[in-house]
Amino acid sequence: QVYVAETATDKCANTLPTAASVGADLNGFAVQDACQQINKRLERFRMAKPEASFPELAMAAFLDRVDLSAHGFYKTPEVGYDFVSGKGKPFHYFSYGVACSEVEVDVLTGDFTILRSDLLHDVGSSLSPAIDVGQVEGGFVQGVGLFMLEEMLWMKNGHLFTKGPSTYKIPSANDVPIDFRVRLFDDAPNRRTVYSSKGVGEPPLNLATSVFFAAKDAVAAARAQNGADGPFRMDTPGTCERLRLACGDPLLRDFAPQDVLANGSW
């Protein structure tokens, strides 16, 4: 009885991108807008025949040559930010999350293993818990790549060295936490969106900082055993090389140049 066509420029010439995980928000309200247009056209037929079914109303409108298709459009309201004055409202709403990760670091090689990660993420009233949990898991593992693996290196002539899978390492199945637990925060409806949901996909990426700081904490423990207590700098990504060079053991102190130790990279 109702057909929804895929969005494309032949349906909506200037639709907005679904960046920042707002696909459900934009398209959901666009569908609502289209439904409201059609409902308004059917209103006089409903008033004339309140007991009529939807197919009967549609047939009456068809016979009266009423347009039964609609093009919906939506833009996020009350959003804008002035970078010069530092004032404005950059986002329609915020989502929240918390993560705790346990990481084991091999201090001889710098290799690390994520033993366990527990995530709790706020998605408002979930449209589909199974999909949302998958989005949280995927965003988190992508964040592991960002904060722990994916290092960009340039050669002296300015060419990018890490431009293929042999030199640029993205997460694989071995980088997923051995014990991976994800929960969605309950009873947190978001009244600003369709069905009180929240965008999910990109926000959980930031929860992967728990892996980086857990690895840094392990390195701090190794440094304490090697007599190198106190604050130290370790930049992202926390690659095996950076983890190994940050351990501060006698072997490194004797053979690694000071600039290498300071930069965390040869």
Side-chain angles (χ1 to χ4, degrees), residues 165-197:
S166 64
T167 54
Y168 186 81
K169 303 303 180 184
I170 63 173
S172 68
N174 289 332
D175 299 303
V176 176
I178 294 173
D179 188 351
F180 199 6
R181 308 186 188 196
V182 176
R183 282 189 56 200
L184 303 179
F185 192 64
D186 295 327
D187 194 24
N190 176 29
R191 304 302 184 191
R192 297 173 177 269
T193 58
V194 172
Y195 291 117
S196 302
S197 64

Side-chain angles (χ1 to χ4, degrees), residues 56-137:
E56 290 172 339
L57 290 173
M59 179 57 70
F62 171 75
L63 294 174
D64 200 39
R65 299 297 184 264
V66 172
D67 184 6
L68 288 173
S69 64
H71 155 133
F73 186 85
Y74 176 79
K75 71 171 184 176
T76 307
E78 303 171 0
V79 171
Y81 190 79
D82 187 334
F83 287 94
V84 177
S85 65
K87 296 181 180 180
K89 182 181 175 184
F91 304 105
H92 194 40
Y93 58 83
F94 294 91
S95 61
Y96 303 88
V98 62
C100 181
S101 294
E102 182 182 0
V103 177
E104 182 179 72
V105 175
D106 185 335
V107 297
L108 295 179
T109 64
D111 192 21
F112 68 91
T113 302
I114 308 173
L115 301 178
R116 175 173 169 176
S117 289
D118 290 78
L119 279 62
L120 177 64
H121 195 69
D122 164 32
V123 297
S125 298
S126 177
L127 295 175
S128 172
I131 290 177
D132 286 347
V133 167
Q135 288 286 289
V136 173
E137 291 173 339

